Amino acid sequence: MNESASSRSRILKRLHGIHSQSRFADHPEITEPQSPSWTTEEKISRLKSMMESVHSEIHCCSERDFDTVFRKVADEKSIASLLYAKNTQLGSRIHSLKQSTPEKMPELVNYDVTIETMKKRIFSIDASITETLGGIAETGSLILWPSRDEPRLMSLIPPIHLAVLQAEKIYNTFSEAIDEGRWAEKGMPTNALLISGPSKTADIEQTLVYGVHGPKQLVVFIIQ
Amino acid sequence: MKPSCSFPEKPEAVYYFGTCLADLLYADAGMAGIRLLQREGVRVIYPRGQSCCGQPAFNSGFQDEAREVAAQQIVQFPKNLPIVIPSGSCGAMMTRHYEELFQGHPLHEKAQSFSARIFELSEFLVNVLNVKLEDRGDPVKVTWHSSCHAKREYGLGDEAKQLLRQLKNVELVELERENECCGFGGTFSVKFPAISGVMAQDKSADVMQTGADLLLSTDCGCLMNINGALEKQKSQVQSQHFASFIWNRTHVS
Amino acid sequence: MSAKANHSPHRLSEKAFFESSGSALKDPKLRRNFKRAMNGLMEKRRDIFPDASELEETRGRAGGIRRKTLAYFPELLEKLEANCESNGIRVHWAETTEQANQIVLEIARSTNTRLAVKGKSMVSEEMHLNAFLEKHDIEAIESDLGEYIIQVVNELPSHIIMPAIHKNLEEISQLFQEKVDPNRSSESAEEMTATARLILRQKFHDADMGISGVNFAVAETGTLCLVENEGNGRFSTTLPKVHVAVMGIEKVVESLQDLPPLLKMLTRSATGQPITTYFNMISGPRREGELDGPEEVHLVLLDHGRSKIYEDELLRETLLCIRCGACMNHCPVYTRIGGHAYNAVYPGPIGKILTPQIEGIESVGYLANASSLCGACVEVCPVKIPITDILLRLRRNRVRKKNARHWTDLNGGKSLMELMTWKGWKQVLSQPSLYRTQASLLSRIGNLLPAQIPVLRQWARSRSLPRFSKKPLHRLVEEAGIDHE
């Protein structure tokens, strides 16, 4: 038996050895929290104000207006290169946008090779754009489940992260998102994230500074 | 805070537990508490064999010594009468820790009954005796320190402040950090005098910046500590137990 | 820059505590830094919990979830292990910090690791992992900005959430100038953050291994959760080809649904935030076809005394802790002496109950005495750990241990004097007539006691001595004819 295995059995033996009556002694009833139930409009406005309070930029637009709003943001922020995922619905839309109006669009970089191959490159890209699985109104959070098509680092390395959120996928609470999305039943992806703003720190004399390690800006397009 | 149902009807008589600190250092406060109760028509019984609730030893980890002293108190208060104490800290010891201290001890049942009959003075005056005060004193500005043990361990509410607010010539100004510990902590102040001393100085600075003439509290330990720090800094602010303060302003001499 | 940490982990003695707390109290700058920071944190927490009854309910819920977890502790650990393994996370068990270090080293060797980037982890501080790796020629770089700052000057964290809270802007600015990059301006927090970003992004890029802690580990899905604002935790757990998570065994929870209430209480109690920027849930290494993520994920489960703590029903509650740091932010002792004065990995109230239980009550029990028992920590604890009750129990255990041994073993005559004091105290206070005689004596001569008596002298440094009443209460009562039965 190796050392880890013998540690394991000693630790578990000690824990199991506790008289079960003492272990299972009346732990208190856990009450269900009162969950808010907002309308879609209320959820949008809650999420928007929560996220804006931590320096996120929110654009509400219709499905049709997205192209215009997106191009405007890309232009204003002088995004010269954009990391995207071509195989997603969003990715193919961005791709056709580039084809139809190449001069108004940044250079597109598709994340289609392993990180080892594109490590150097990815650190020099201006921005990224990703889909989201949903949002959480209560805390002002985006839910991301990175995948083969849309890998984990897209929302971390480029200094500007653009995220697209469908308004009807905003949940009231984190708990509701787990329940309704049947996370436990479906099984978790290798990585799941709640993102609630651009990267920040207050480690120097409690001064809040945005953009420490991750993105300096987070832009959310809420599609109504 | 205790639910109102835990207070009895006005009794004919009560026991009084003076506490060792009041006995030795704040005898006037102990006496004032008795007078306030008597004025409401309640007979006050002061068992002569009482000394200390046992907290100093208990909080230092000397459980056996604490138990022997505590046992001596329990037998002094045999009748089924409320026991009124001018200290939330001793109250906390007697209500919260006797149960555990007398686990498996011959006095266990008596200890339980004893604990259930404990009431801190201000809550007894307000919730049981429904005291109405008439102020006869000169205008004065006071501030209030809330004892940590009284508030957090005993669960004392703001009854003492309610009494002060009945006094028309008394202006109550709040401390910036009313609920922060003054640094006494019983033997803590002896074992860690430097840390405790800084806490006491900060508390007294808070007291001084209110511009109050007088600092009041429910607990003699805190008063002794803060008063010591005020004196050391040659402050003009005096300190007093709230019972003395109220009695002095309301009784007809 | 060197990552060496030459602090001895064993400066844990009562004498050292007196020295370090004493010099902290005499350092006005340090005291200003702490006061300002702690006031800010207390205010933020107050603001995010405007409704007292809702707060009580949420504390009850979070505490309930943690208690439920401990009720099924071994079963949940087994479930966590099984689900992690089936997700491809390799699980290792360590009883001691030495074993845990050895496990990390073996992983490092098997993956040819030269450089490791670290996310913030208090368990790795318990292990003194950086110094250990350094000794074996592996560079370990702290990437949380606060941890990075103190690593640069070779210090330990002074707070479990805000490791560099003891330093002000000016001091940090100076150390950036001297030790980080003299060619870049370091006047503002923004400038220094930008410098750190530049340096650490290169480290993330180059690192072979990422090391992180774990805030919650979900047994039902085999998921490791990390709570952070900066993104360094995500970098450390995503970019390098190996991720090693070190975790105290008590961090397990049963289900995903346990996460929302705990997360809510953690971020709100810690820094008054409704949520942190990132909540990172890791359920396995890179899968076939995925383009990023570590190729290996390892979970090191560290006991380090926890299973021993679990044996006692009251002391067990120590393990409910979710490491928010609210107890220290609100502690009148911590906010005055700061984190370093404790000479321990975990400072403040949680450290006072945890350290003696891990390191031994006989040698570190004095920490349990360094509290006024004011209960401010209990009031704010998000999972309702009865810290003062545990302190009392530890004090009692310490006395028992000493009774069983010899009172003069430790601290020379000091302990013996303590024992004699309480024996004498008991003799007097349990005998009514003796007590009354002594009390009367004190009221007559007490005020004449010389202030040179050691105990009084210490007290008198910052306070005038208490004055005895002219007549004790029991005499006044007799004179006033108060009934005695």
Side-chain angles (χ1 to χ4, degrees), chain C residues 74-302:
Chain C
E75 291 82 1
L76 289 177
L77 282 173
E78 284 162 336
K79 193 166 172 185
L80 174 71
E81 178 188 40
N83 287 326
C84 281
E85 293 274 358
S86 78
N87 288 340
I89 297 174
R90 285 183 234 165
V91 179
H92 312 261
W93 299 72
E95 275 190 294
T96 64
T97 55
E98 290 77 16
Q99 287 170 1
N101 281 330
Q102 203 57 44
I103 291 167
V104 178
L105 180 63
E106 276 160 29
I107 299 167
R109 285 197 171 135
S110 75
T111 52
N112 294 318
T113 293
R114 309 292 309 166
L115 172 66
V117 281
K118 281 187 68 204
K120 199 178 149 26
S121 153
M122 287 311 296
V123 165
S124 76
E125 299 285 346
E126 256 180 75
M127 293 158 62
H128 303 280
L129 177 61
N130 293 355
F132 176 83
L133 290 176
E134 193 79 4
K135 218 165 56 196
H136 293 87
D137 294 323
I138 293 161
E139 191 183 1
I141 297 284
E142 294 288 351
S143 61
D144 169 89
L145 183 57
E147 291 279 356
Y148 175 70
I149 290 167
I150 59 166
Q151 190 182 33
V152 167
V153 285
N154 199 18
E155 289 181 11
L156 292 174
S158 59
H159 188 282
I160 63 168
I161 297 290
M162 307 220 151
I165 199 88
H166 56 289
K167 293 198 179 299
N168 64 20
L169 180 73
E170 200 185 320
E171 293 165 278
I172 299 173
S173 177
Q174 196 180 346
L175 77 87
F176 262 73
Q177 273 298 310
E178 287 168 8
K179 308 223 163 151
V180 178
D181 190 344
N183 300 318
R184 287 173 63 93
S185 171
S186 308
E187 275 174 26
S188 65
E190 287 77 9
E191 285 171 341
M192 290 186 272
T193 304
T195 303
R197 178 185 174 98
L198 206 67
I199 293 171
L200 289 166
R201 280 204 155 210
Q202 188 61 49
K203 297 287 183 191
F204 293 131
H205 178 278
D206 297 344
D208 310 297
M209 175 189 274
I211 299 171
S212 77
V214 175
N215 290 99
F216 311 107
V218 184
E220 81 173 333
T221 53
T223 302
L224 312 178
C225 305
L226 275 87
V227 179
E228 59 146 345
N229 281 309
E230 296 187 358
N232 68 305
R234 287 190 62 200
F235 265 112
S236 305
T237 59
T238 316
L239 193 50
K241 64 182 191 297
V242 185
H243 168 211
V244 180
V246 290
M247 162 185 149
I249 51 174
E250 81 283 12
K251 289 293 172 70
V252 66
V253 298
E254 184 179 10
S255 67
L256 289 174
Q257 276 301 358
D258 290 340
L259 295 173
L262 292 176
L263 177 63
K264 189 172 181 174
M265 283 316 270
L266 175 57
T267 64
R268 286 169 196 235
S269 305
T271 52
Q273 299 181 86
I275 193 164
T276 48
T277 301
Y278 300 113
F279 185 59
N280 181 5
M281 291 164 270
I282 299 160
S283 308
R286 185 188 308 190
R287 280 191 197 137
E288 182 75 34
E290 289 183 348
L291 301 176
D292 60 17
E295 283 159 13
E296 291 178 24
V297 178
H298 297 263
L299 174 63
V300 182
L301 292 170
L302 175 66

Side-chain angles (χ1 to χ4, degrees), chain A residues 46 50 53-54 138-139 200, chain C residues 40-56 58 263-276 326 330 380 382:
Chain A
R46 166 96 188 185
M50 292 299 286
S53 73
V54 285
E138 186 184 40
T139 51
K200 65 176 185 288
Chain C
L41 287 166
M42 284 195 276
E43 202 173 307
K44 282 184 188 138
R45 181 186 172 276
R46 204 163 44 232
D47 291 348
I48 200 136
F49 290 123
D51 183 333
S53 68
E54 195 191 315
L55 170 60
E56 266 319 285
T58 322
L263 177 63
K264 189 172 181 174
M265 283 316 270
L266 175 57
T267 64
R268 286 169 196 235
S269 305
T271 52
Q273 299 181 86
I275 193 164
T276 48
H330 292 77
V380 297

Side-chain angles (χ1 to χ4, degrees), chain C residues 462-473:
Chain C
S462 42
R463 286 157 287 215
S464 66
L465 292 178
R467 267 185 306 280
F468 289 89
S469 301
K470 286 194 192 78
K471 282 181 189 171
L473 175 61

Side-chain angles (χ1 to χ4, degrees), chain C residues 378-397:
Chain C
V378 181
E379 196 171 74
V380 297
C381 176
V383 292
K384 296 191 169 190
I385 301 175
I387 299 175
T388 46
D389 289 345
I390 295 176
L391 286 169
L392 284 171
R393 171 69 70 80
L394 294 175
R395 291 179 184 188
R396 199 179 313 153
N397 288 353

Side-chain angles (χ1 to χ4, degrees), chain B residues 7 9 27 53 57 59 68 77 101 103 112-113 140-141 151 173 222-223 231 252:
Chain B
F7 294 104
E9 292 291 302
C53 64
N59 282 0
E68 266 192 61
F77 299 78
L101 196 58
Q103 202 60 248
Q112 284 180 319
S113 144
V140 66
K141 201 161 148 183
K151 179 174 185 275
V173 279
C222 311
L223 282 169
E231 280 187 0
V252 194

Side-chain angles (χ1 to χ4, degrees), chain B residues 233-250:
Chain B
Q233 289 164 78
K234 309 222 179 327
S235 163
Q236 297 302 305
V237 187
Q238 304 288 307
S239 71
Q240 205 172 25
H241 192 279
F242 88 98
S244 304
F245 178 76
I246 288 176
W247 173 250
N248 291 346
R249 294 185 71 88
T250 56

Side-chain angles (χ1 to χ4, degrees), chain B residues 183-205:
Chain B
F184 179 56
T187 50
F188 169 75
S189 64
V190 178
K191 282 185 176 152
F192 299 93
I195 303 173
S196 161
V198 166
M199 288 161 74
Q201 279 165 359
D202 287 354
K203 179 60 83 174
S204 60

